[in-house]
Amino acid sequence: MTAFPEPGSTADVRGLLLDYLDYFRSVITAKVTGLTSDALYRSQVPSGWTPAGLLTHLAFMERRWLQWGFMGEPLSDPWGDSDGDGWVTPDDDLTTLLARLEQVGGRTREIVEAHTLTEHATPGGRFASPAEAPQLHWILLHVLQEYARHAGHLDITRELVDGATGESG
């Protein structure tokens, strides 16, 4: 598991944000790796989302914000994690789901390391005009809060499924 970025001082805010994203991806990975196949594809909550659906959502969400949103890259299915009523539970196995999350995280790192935090998103993807296009640091904070929030959802799921608590499982 990636080490938690302990409080301190740094002039490298970009690196700090990337470290936090890596950390929360590793928490997500630890939480789902301990689930049985049945628990991965079964909902524990009234809203009906599954851990496999949450993994799919996180990968699509990160792609939406960084590749489509910030870079303006065309994506054939930016909302492919949702069917309009909630997150889609994929048929993919856990190895495939985690590989997708890792690949998206690697692409995010490439994008962020090649741009300044104050740079605005490229219009034409998620954002139609320059006036709508947020700065990269805003996008990263949004993606980071998504990961942190959903890591908390998986905390509850693991506790309900097998009593496991804590960040590592």
Side-chain angles (χ1 to χ4, degrees):
M1 192 161 120
T2 302
F4 180 76
E6 291 294 336
S9 297
T10 185
D12 183 14
V13 175
R14 175 191 4 234
L16 182 62
L17 292 169
L18 288 169
D19 287 349
Y20 268 100
L21 284 172
D22 289 345
Y23 169 73
F24 279 112
R25 271 190 225 94
S26 76
V27 169
I28 297 288
T29 298
K31 291 289 181 184
V32 297
T33 299
L35 291 172
T36 65
S37 182
D38 178 60
L40 186 63
Y41 297 96
R42 184 172 37 89
S43 179
Q44 297 294 319
V45 294
S47 61
W49 66 266
T50 65
L54 186 141
L55 281 173
T56 299
H57 165 68
L58 288 170
F60 272 84
M61 174 276 302
E62 193 165 349
R63 272 184 354 135
R64 249 190 319 271
W65 281 104
L66 276 296
Q67 294 174 36
W68 186 47
F70 183 74
M71 295 298 294
E73 296 172 358
L75 294 180
S76 62
D77 59 348
W79 301 100
D81 56 327
S82 175
D83 63 6
D85 292 324
W87 298 331
V88 173
T89 297
D91 295 328
D92 300 323
D93 64 18
L94 181 59
T95 302
T96 301
L97 293 170
L98 292 177
R100 185 177 301 127
L101 195 65
E102 184 178 333
Q103 184 274 330
V104 168
R107 180 69 175 116
T108 291
R109 182 170 283 279
E110 290 172 4
I111 291 168
V112 173
E113 288 177 344
H115 297 274
T116 65
L117 293 178
T118 56
E119 202 169 321
H120 286 266
T122 302
R126 183 175 185 147
F127 306 104
S129 70
E132 296 175 85
Q135 292 175 307
L136 180 57
H137 60 82
W138 185 96
I139 290 172
L140 288 173
L141 287 169
H142 177 80
V143 171
L144 181 60
Q145 72 80 27
E146 284 265 349
Y147 270 103
R149 187 168 68 99
H150 294 317
H153 291 139
L154 285 174
D155 283 342
I156 294 167
T157 295
R158 278 303 298 272
E159 189 170 358
L160 289 170
V161 168
D162 60 13
T165 59
E167 294 167 343
S168 61

